Amino acid sequence: MGNSALKAHIETAQKTGVFQLTEKGLPEFPEDLQRLVGNLRTINLSSNKIEVLPPWMGKFSVLKSLSLNHNRLTRLPEELCKLKKLETLHLSGNQISQLPADFGQLSALKTLNLSGNQLRAIPSQLCTLRHLDVVDLSKNKIQAIPDEVLGVQAIEINLNQNQISQISVQISHCPRLKVLRLEENCLELSMLPQSILSDSQISLLAVEGNLFEIKKLRDLEGYEKYMERFTATRKKFV
């Protein structure tokens, strides 16, 4: 992509607060964006070839939405955690295996998409994100849901297409969790805590494509209670 085209995009972004440049084969985060750290609210650089994010990423003081889906990122800089206004972070289809230690400092974060990365565990940093509504961890290499999940405040957790065979009973006590997606994992029916059905806020449990017949779910204690929540939720949307 030529310098003049990039310059035109930057001039537009200066006026609109939105910088969008997708599918251009960019090998790096555009250096010229440093000039706009004070006024960009949205950055979309999805479907490029970016491998590294610069340390000055942390200077985007009003940035609300950052999309870097389908790049070549293997890690995120600690400086990213300084984005105090960031509400939406899309990082699907990269090679990220862990999050920065201070990731929990992204205090405004509401939506996090880490689908299709290399995560082997649910990041413990998610427990300090008080405003998190939706977290997508599908298509990773996660094998278990640990006790720490209790601290996750999300309304929806997507763990489809992982390698999960164990679930902590603490998932039942997530205070805001309404939608839990666990399709295409390695779950035996005996590994599914019955308290998810009988004693949680969860009103949509998606478990198709595991190691049991879906109709066997109906035989579990608490299934009727779950169906009451499921039906009540459906009525709200009709």
Side-chain angles (χ1 to χ4, degrees), residues 24 32 52 65 72 75 85 89 102 138 144 174 183 232 237:
K24 295 291 188 247
D32 291 343
V52 178
S65 175
R72 296 178 178 177
R75 55 179 292 277
K85 296 278 174 72
L89 180 56
D102 291 335
S138 61
C174 289
E183 293 178 20
F237 293 110

Side-chain angles (χ1 to χ4, degrees), residues 1-11 19 21 26-28 30-32 35:
M1 156 162 233
N3 271 348
S4 56
L6 185 59
K7 198 175 173 188
H9 275 279
I10 285 172
E11 280 173 12
F19 184 82
L21 206 55
L26 294 179
E28 56 189 33
E31 194 77 19
D32 291 343
R35 289 186 285 149

Side-chain angles (χ1 to χ4, degrees), residues 114-120 136-145 157-165 180-187 206-210:
L114 282 161
S115 175
N117 277 281
Q118 299 289 320
L119 297 170
R120 293 186 174 276
D136 189 345
L137 300 171
S138 61
K139 300 179 185 173
N140 277 279
K141 296 179 176 178
I142 298 166
Q143 296 177 3
I145 299 178
I157 300 176
N158 186 344
L159 287 158
N160 289 347
Q161 297 181 0
N162 276 281
Q163 299 162 11
I164 296 167
S165 60
L180 178 60
R181 301 188 187 279
L182 287 163
E183 293 178 20
E184 295 180 49
N185 276 281
C186 307
L187 281 171
V207 287
E208 288 81 3
N210 279 282

Side-chain angles (χ1 to χ4, degrees), residues 122 130 132-137 145-146 148-159 167-182 195-197 199-206 226 229 233:
I122 295 176
R130 290 282 159 251
L132 195 61
D133 288 334
V134 179
V135 56
D136 189 345
L137 300 171
I145 299 178
E148 294 79 53
V149 74
L150 173 63
V152 178
Q153 299 287 321
I155 296 167
E156 175 172 341
I157 300 176
N158 186 344
L159 287 158
I167 304 179
S168 165
V169 70
Q170 296 297 337
I171 190 89
S172 313
H173 305 307
C174 289
R176 298 171 69 219
L177 187 60
K178 298 279 195 293
V179 178
L180 178 60
R181 301 188 187 279
L182 287 163
S195 54
I196 289 179
L197 299 172
D199 192 28
S200 77
Q201 304 283 323
I202 296 166
S203 57
L204 177 59
L205 175 66
Y226 162 69
R229 296 192 303 273
T233 305

